């Protein structure tokens, strides 16, 4: 038993030590992190592979690894349609968002809003982003700590500081290069752990055919529920449309993603990195969905939650791993390393990005002038430490929340729509002005906050409950106490997916997948209406419009003009993609 425990902790310790060593290397051996360009963009000498792996790793947190299997086990496979809609996301980002931001070569993507509208909109959007990130990172930290607790028994609040200290250290010392290469390393741990769990799962349940049969018999298999009702929790349309808006926010305008694309030396490499990332994420979603199907096939006759083997469905994957991998020393530790790696990569990427955002959009503005490169580097590194400490403290709050995947998507939905709407107004609508953009963004933020927090309050008070797929306890041991099934007393069934109290507003039952969709549509609609009602004379560089709109509105505009829209000189390879270049 002691030998097995040593093997588990050795796998975990190996990953943590390697992450620290990478930070030490880029911080002290290759000492090139003392300028803004080096710290945030890696000196623009990054290659496609580490950037792509970093993007994948930073988007695969414990929320994905634990949340998707739990989602599939409880609600079925409809969510997995997300793995097949990637081509639409690629087209939208490549043709609308990426060309403009790559041409501008901005340290902070929110500088675009000042160039297109004004500094007030830039400041508000930066503040919204920083706050949303500070609230999101504790969720990312808590999930792997919970998995570690399930396996090792160590207290969650003893684990989170250790994880965070390692992450803060290599992010602070090594900058973007350390973040990218640790992400690439950590993605290896994550990939190996996921594949190992899938292989062991198939061996344990008797193969792919048994998994499909069990899920079909349990009414879990579903990909093309084509009902267009936006109040159904998961359908083909709520998942595909909602995810498209959400991922455009995460790839097209997210400072972390744009920062990585800009860190590549050419636009073609940035485009390749995006394409590889999208397909990589699709594979990850499908793999984690397979694990959820395996978990159901394993426990179809004895639900671990109702049997009180685990507290709730967020513990399903750690419980499954301990069950199928307990006889192989070190494998459970490898799995935990994969979960923690996913959290570290996401946290480090967000910390590195938020430090640049706070510096460019707040510190420089408050000072009224740019400090020396060394001072700027010190300020950003100090910001990483401060934000990291705050996030550790906020884990206590996250611990009180329930759910994984839906909770994460719901919280991000508060800000995704407003932010995407203001960027879309600037890029796609030449007549949109600062007054319209501000009104649209604030209206969207207010409405989505009201809807989402109203829905969360209804969920916590049990006035809004979602219909879960049937589970069985027929195969459970006779000497255990079984939890009662969900109680819907006082609620009425609004549709196939929702039970709700009569006093809950219907808008609060909107599918969580559509939060980003609705927020974006509200922001764009209000922004355009206000811009048309209160038109203003505008003077901005046509490069601030997306190429397809720019070429239509300004047909005589020469794309070969190499003067950057931000007024900074740029090397030839960073200039705007010529009109005859196929995107």
């Amino acid at each position: 038993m002691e030998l097995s425990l040593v093997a588990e902790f050795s796998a975990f310790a190996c990953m943590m030590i390697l992450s620290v060593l990478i930070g030490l290397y880029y911080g002290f051996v290759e000492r090139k992190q003392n300028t803004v360009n080096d710290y945030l963009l890696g000196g623009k000498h990054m290659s496609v592979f580490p950037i792509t792996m970093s993007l994948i790793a930073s988007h695969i947190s414990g929320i994905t690894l634990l949340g998707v299997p739990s989602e599939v086990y409880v609600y079925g496979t409809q969510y997995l349609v997300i793995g097949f809609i990637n081509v639409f996301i690629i087209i939208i980002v490549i043709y609308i968002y990426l060309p403009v931001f790559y041409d501008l070569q901005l340290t902070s993507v929110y500088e675009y809003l000042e160039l297109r509208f004004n500094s007030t909109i830039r400041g508000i959007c930066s503040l919204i982003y920083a706050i949303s990130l500070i609230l999101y990172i504790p969720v990312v930290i808590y999930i792997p700590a919970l998995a570690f607790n399930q396996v090792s028994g160590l207290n969650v609040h003893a684990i989170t500081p250790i994880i965070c200290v390692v992450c803060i250290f290599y992010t602070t010392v090594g900058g973007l290069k350390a973040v990218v290469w640790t992400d690439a390393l950590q993605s290896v741990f994550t990939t190996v752990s996921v594949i190992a769990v899938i292989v062991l799962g198939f061996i344990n349940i008797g193969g792919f055919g048994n998994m499909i049969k069990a899920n079909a018999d349990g009414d879990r298999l579903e990909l093309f529920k084509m009902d267009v009702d936006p109040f159904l929790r998961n359908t083909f349309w709520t998942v595909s449309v909602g995810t498209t808006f959400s991922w455009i926010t995460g790839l097209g305008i997210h400072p972390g993603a744009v920062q990585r694309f800009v860190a590549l030396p050419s636009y073609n490499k940035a485009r390749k990195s995006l394409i590889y990332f999208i397909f990589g994420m699709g594979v990850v979603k499908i793999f984690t969905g397979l694990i959820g199907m395996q978990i159901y096939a394993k426990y179809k006759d004895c639900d671990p939650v109702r049997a009180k083997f685990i507290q709730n469905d967020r513990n399903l994957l750690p419980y499954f791993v301990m069950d199928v991998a307990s006889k192989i020393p070190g494998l459970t530790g490898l799995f935990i390393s994969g979960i923690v790696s996913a959290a570290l990569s996401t946290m480090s990427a967000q910390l590195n990005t938020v430090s640049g955002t706070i510096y460019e959009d707040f510190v420089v503005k408050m000072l009224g002038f740019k400090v020396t490169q060394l001072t700027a580097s010190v300020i950003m590194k100090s910001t990483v430490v401060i934000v990291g400490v705050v996030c550790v403290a906020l884990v206590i709050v996250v611990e009180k929340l329930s759910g994984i995947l839906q909770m994460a998507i719901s919280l991000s939905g508060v800000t995704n729509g407003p932010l995407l709407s203001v960027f879309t107004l600037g890029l796609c609508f030449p007549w949109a002005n600062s007054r319209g953009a501000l009104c649209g963004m604030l209206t969207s933020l207010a409405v989505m906050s009201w809807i989402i927090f109203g829905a969360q309050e209804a969920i916590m008070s049990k006035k809004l409950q979602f219909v879960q797929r049937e589970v069985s306890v027929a195969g459970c041991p006779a000497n255990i106490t079984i939890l009662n099934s969900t109680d819907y007393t006082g609620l009425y069934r609004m549709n196939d997916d929702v039970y709700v109290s009569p006093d809950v507003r219907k808008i609060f039952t909107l599918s969580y997948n559509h939060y980003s969709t609705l927020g974006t549509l509200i922001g764009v609609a209000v922004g355009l209406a206000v811009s048309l009602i209160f038109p203003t004379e505008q003077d901005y560089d046509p490069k601030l419009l997306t190429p397809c709109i720019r070429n239509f509105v300004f047909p005589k505009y020469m794309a070969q003009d190499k003067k950057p829209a931000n007024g900074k000189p740029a090397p030839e390879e960073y200039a705007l993609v010529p009109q005859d270049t196929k995107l």
Side-chain angles (χ1 to χ4, degrees), residues 283-549:
V283 171
V284 170
K285 295 289 185 180
I286 292 171
F287 275 15
T288 49
L290 281 176
I291 294 175
M293 295 170 68
Q294 290 178 342
I295 295 174
Y296 178 75
K298 173 74 174 175
Y299 303 118
K300 60 185 175 63
D301 295 323
C302 183
D303 176 47
V305 178
R306 291 192 61 194
K308 293 185 177 180
F309 297 148
I310 56 177
Q311 290 183 344
N312 51 52
D313 56 35
R314 68 175 67 173
N315 299 111
L316 277 169
L317 183 55
Y319 178 77
F320 176 70
V321 172
M322 292 177 66
D323 197 358
V324 302
S326 58
K327 295 181 180 179
I328 306 177
L331 193 55
T332 304
L334 177 64
F335 162 74
I336 293 300
S337 299
I339 298 290
V340 174
S341 293
L344 284 173
S345 56
T346 301
M347 183 181 179
S348 62
Q350 307 289 24
L351 287 177
N352 181 259
T353 302
V354 80
S355 68
T357 300
I358 291 175
Y359 169 74
E360 288 288 340
D361 298 339
F362 295 106
V363 175
V364 173
K365 290 290 183 183
M366 286 188 294
L367 293 176
F369 60 89
K370 289 208 172 189
V371 297
T372 64
Q373 292 287 346
L374 179 59
T375 304
S377 178
V378 171
I379 291 173
M380 288 185 290
K381 291 177 180 181
S382 301
T383 302
V384 169
V385 175
I386 294 169
V387 173
V389 171
V390 171
C391 291
V392 173
L394 288 176
V395 170
I396 299 173
V397 178
V398 173
E399 191 176 19
K400 308 297 181 184
L401 303 177
S402 60
I404 298 178
L405 195 64
Q406 181 168 338
M407 175 186 66
I409 294 175
S410 297
L411 291 177
S412 63
V414 176
T415 56
N416 278 357
L419 292 176
L420 181 58
S421 68
V422 73
F423 277 99
T424 303
L425 283 167
L427 289 163
C428 299
F429 300 94
W431 65 90
N433 57 34
S434 57
R435 179 179 292 180
L438 182 61
C439 290
M441 177 182 60
L442 294 180
T443 302
S444 176
L445 183 64
V447 172
M448 296 316 300
S449 297
W450 173 62
I451 293 173
I452 292 170
F453 289 117
Q456 293 303 307
E457 191 279 329
I459 292 171
M460 287 189 290
S461 62
K462 305 295 184 182
K463 293 182 178 181
L464 173 60
Q465 298 190 42
F466 300 100
V467 179
Q468 300 181 359
R469 300 299 169 97
E470 291 293 328
V471 292
S472 173
V473 292
C476 293
N479 60 343
I480 64 171
T481 304
I482 303 296
L483 286 177
N484 294 327
S485 57
T486 306
D487 183 12
Y488 298 119
T489 303
L491 309 179
Y492 74 94
R493 188 157 189 168
M494 192 182 83
N495 55 41
D496 291 344
D497 291 349
V498 175
Y499 278 93
V500 64
S501 172
D503 60 342
V504 172
R505 296 175 185 272
K506 185 173 182 179
I507 191 63
F508 293 162
T509 67
L510 179 74
S511 171
Y512 70 98
N513 287 301
H514 273 323
Y515 289 156
S516 294
T517 308
L518 181 61
T520 303
L521 295 178
I522 290 173
V524 170
V526 173
L528 291 178
V530 172
S531 297
L532 291 171
I533 295 170
F534 302 100
T536 58
E537 187 173 324
Q538 299 185 80
D539 182 21
Y540 57 83
D541 194 317
K543 287 182 180 179
L544 298 175
L545 297 174
T546 194
C548 54
I549 301 295

Side-chain angles (χ1 to χ4, degrees), residues 11 36 40 57 71 86 135 163 204 206 212 238 264 286 324 390 403 437 439 473 482 489 498 523 581:
V36 174
L40 295 178
E71 169 74 20
N86 300 330
L135 294 176
I163 295 174
N204 197 272
I212 295 296
T238 58
L264 288 162
I286 292 171
V324 302
V390 171
C439 290
V473 292
I482 303 296
T489 303
V498 175
T581 299

Side-chain angles (χ1 to χ4, degrees), residues 110-118 121-122 125 422-423:
Y110 294 109
E111 189 177 343
Y112 168 85
L113 298 176
E114 183 172 4
L115 296 171
R116 178 64 175 83
F117 297 119
N118 57 41
I121 293 178
R122 173 185 178 178
C125 286
V422 73
F423 277 99

